[in-house]
Amino acid sequence: MDTMETSTFVYDGDCAFCTRCAEFIESRIPTAARVVPWQFADLDALGLTADECEEAVQWVGADGSRAAGPDAIAKLLAASGPLWRVAGAGLRFPPVRAAAWPVYRWVARNRHRLPGGTAACSLPQEARERLYGPTGRPSAGA
């Protein structure tokens, strides 16, 4: 993959809980990374698939590095301000990392029940589009 100028953190923009978390990142965590919903990202340019983005948040570093789930969160934190870098290092600490994945999967499965979550958060993308319409990507005729 070619290197990019800016690292990118990709989340599910159709999930209210995920969007609230992304808003927290944008307002509270000083980072040069782009924070973008996968529905509006150029997944091909990032080397990502919709399935990968449905499964977990994604990190694509300016250097081409990739990570998913809590590893992506650790990369985002590592590319942020000093206090956040410490948190990112903690998340990469082997015992913490081992616990982070099951916790992340639990949160992902239950995000529709968490603060800011909605019933749409629990649906696969195909079902969301069927029920709620397109995800905001321009149609071919637009």
Side-chain angles (χ1 to χ4, degrees):
M1 171 179 198
D2 295 331
T3 58
M4 301 178 297
E5 284 185 34
T6 306
S7 298
T8 304
F9 183 80
V10 182
Y11 67 96
D12 185 352
D14 280 343
C15 172
F17 175 75
C18 302
T19 299
R20 290 259 170 90
C21 292
E23 289 168 353
F24 177 87
I25 291 166
E26 291 177 316
S27 67
R28 306 280 172 112
I29 301 178
T31 181
R34 289 183 327 127
V35 178
V36 61
W38 73 261
Q39 292 86 351
F40 296 104
D42 184 345
L43 297 183
D44 289 337
L46 293 169
L48 297 171
T49 67
D51 287 342
E52 288 171 320
C53 296
E54 281 267 321
E55 183 72 24
V57 294
Q58 302 290 321
W59 172 266
V60 180
D63 62 357
S65 63
R66 300 227 347 234
D71 296 334
I73 296 166
K75 292 268 193 185
L76 172 79
L77 295 174
S80 300
L83 183 62
W84 296 105
R85 283 195 294 270
V86 171
L91 192 51
R92 288 188 308 275
F93 185 61
V96 175
R97 184 176 183 265
W101 270 103
V103 170
Y104 182 88
R105 287 187 188 107
W106 183 89
V107 168
R109 276 193 315 273
N110 293 283
R111 61 191 178 168
H112 60 287
R113 294 184 179 111
L114 298 173
T118 65
C121 298
S122 66
L123 299 173
Q125 184 65 28
E126 184 179 306
R128 282 186 236 163
E129 288 182 6
R130 205 170 42 251
L131 290 170
Y132 302 109
T135 60
R137 282 190 226 136
S139 64

